[in-house]
Each structure stands twice: as structure tokens, then as C-alpha cells.
Amino acid sequence: MASDESRQSATEKTARQQWMSLLAQALPRRLDALFPRERFPHFVYLRKPETGLVMLRGRVGGTGSPFNMGEATVTRCAIRLDDGTVGHAFVMGRSHEHALSAAICDALLQGSDSDLPQTVIAPLAQERTRRERDLALKNAATKVDFFTMVRGEDD
């Protein structure tokens, strides 16, 4: 028997991956401003927010052999809405409230009658695009082009 996730099309998975990334990377106070606790629907915990460590792995040059780089603190949460929709969240850091808000948003976004794509996801996406653009401009301003000058000496 196939799971619900395996029956989803590739575009649906991509959309969910995108909103989960935006929710996880959002500043907790910004997510609270866009999606305050008063808007939380009734839910039950499948896994209450809990904090743990994950191992970060890296590769030299992006292609070399993997190595353990260090550990990072992550908080996860899983909830189920009254209609049976399950929401998950994994966020960096120790904020239980952030993980809970992200899990509830994930569950609500899986439904078709939610206004969250316009009220939460769109502003978070615009803010991330603006941050990435500002960082690219800052990096471009500090770029140094090196070149070799031919000295004209022939041996």
C-alpha cells in the first residue's frame, strides 16, 4: 500500500519542500507576526516539540569524501488537525513555539482552503529573496578580480 506522500506528484512535493524551507528559516518572531497563536486550529500532538542534535556532514570542494563537520541543535514537532491532516516541522535552534507554528502551517497548507500561501508564505518568500539579493550585492561589491600581466621578457 502506497503512502499519501508517495502518491503526490513531483510538483506537490516541491511546493511542500519550498514552504517547509521558508517556515523553518523564518525568524520565530516574524512567523508569530504573520501567523499568531489566535489563528491556530484545534490539533493534537503526534510528537510534542523536542530538541536534539543532528550531525552536519560536509564534503571538501563539494565533491570529496563526506566528513562529520559538527553538530547542530534542531527542534522537531508533529501535529494532526481534526480533519486528519498531519503537519511536520524541523527548525534550527531550541524554539518549541517556532516548531509548533511551522508544523501547524505545514498541515494547513496541505489543504486547499487555506489563506496561508498569501498571508504567510508569500511574505516569507519575498523577504528571503530580498535577503539573498542583498547578500549577493554585498558579495559582488567585495569581489576581487585577479589577472596575470605578461612582462614582455622572452627567454
Side-chain angles (χ1 to χ4, degrees), residues 101-127:
S101 294
I104 293 172
C105 283
D106 175 47
L108 290 172
L109 285 162
Q110 293 176 59
S112 59
D113 60 343
S114 173
D115 69 337
L116 294 182
Q118 296 80 28
T119 60
V120 176
I121 300 303
L124 292 177
Q126 291 169 352
E127 292 164 11

Side-chain angles (χ1 to χ4, degrees), residues 18-120:
Q18 289 174 350
W19 79 55
M20 289 185 84
S21 173
L22 287 167
L23 293 168
Q25 293 176 12
L27 294 173
R29 67 179 180 275
R30 182 64 176 137
L31 185 55
D32 288 342
L34 293 171
F35 186 64
R37 275 185 110 53
E38 299 83 48
R39 291 190 59 194
F40 285 12
H42 184 265
F43 66 92
V44 294
Y45 284 109
L46 298 177
R47 181 181 303 273
K48 287 189 176 188
E50 57 187 7
T51 301
L53 295 173
V54 294
M55 179 59 67
L56 301 177
R57 296 185 53 107
R59 292 180 182 266
V60 175
T63 58
S65 297
F67 64 93
N68 292 339
M69 217 167 76
E71 295 175 333
T73 305
V74 174
T75 302
R76 67 181 178 177
C77 181
I79 60 98
R80 183 176 52 234
L81 300 177
D82 287 343
D83 67 2
T85 307
V86 175
H88 299 278
F90 291 84
V91 299
M92 295 290 282
R94 300 177 177 275
S95 176
H96 289 204
E97 295 80 18
H98 183 189
L100 175 59
S101 294
I104 293 172
C105 283
D106 175 47
L108 290 172
L109 285 162
Q110 293 176 59
S112 59
D113 60 343
S114 173
D115 69 337
L116 294 182
Q118 296 80 28
T119 60
V120 176

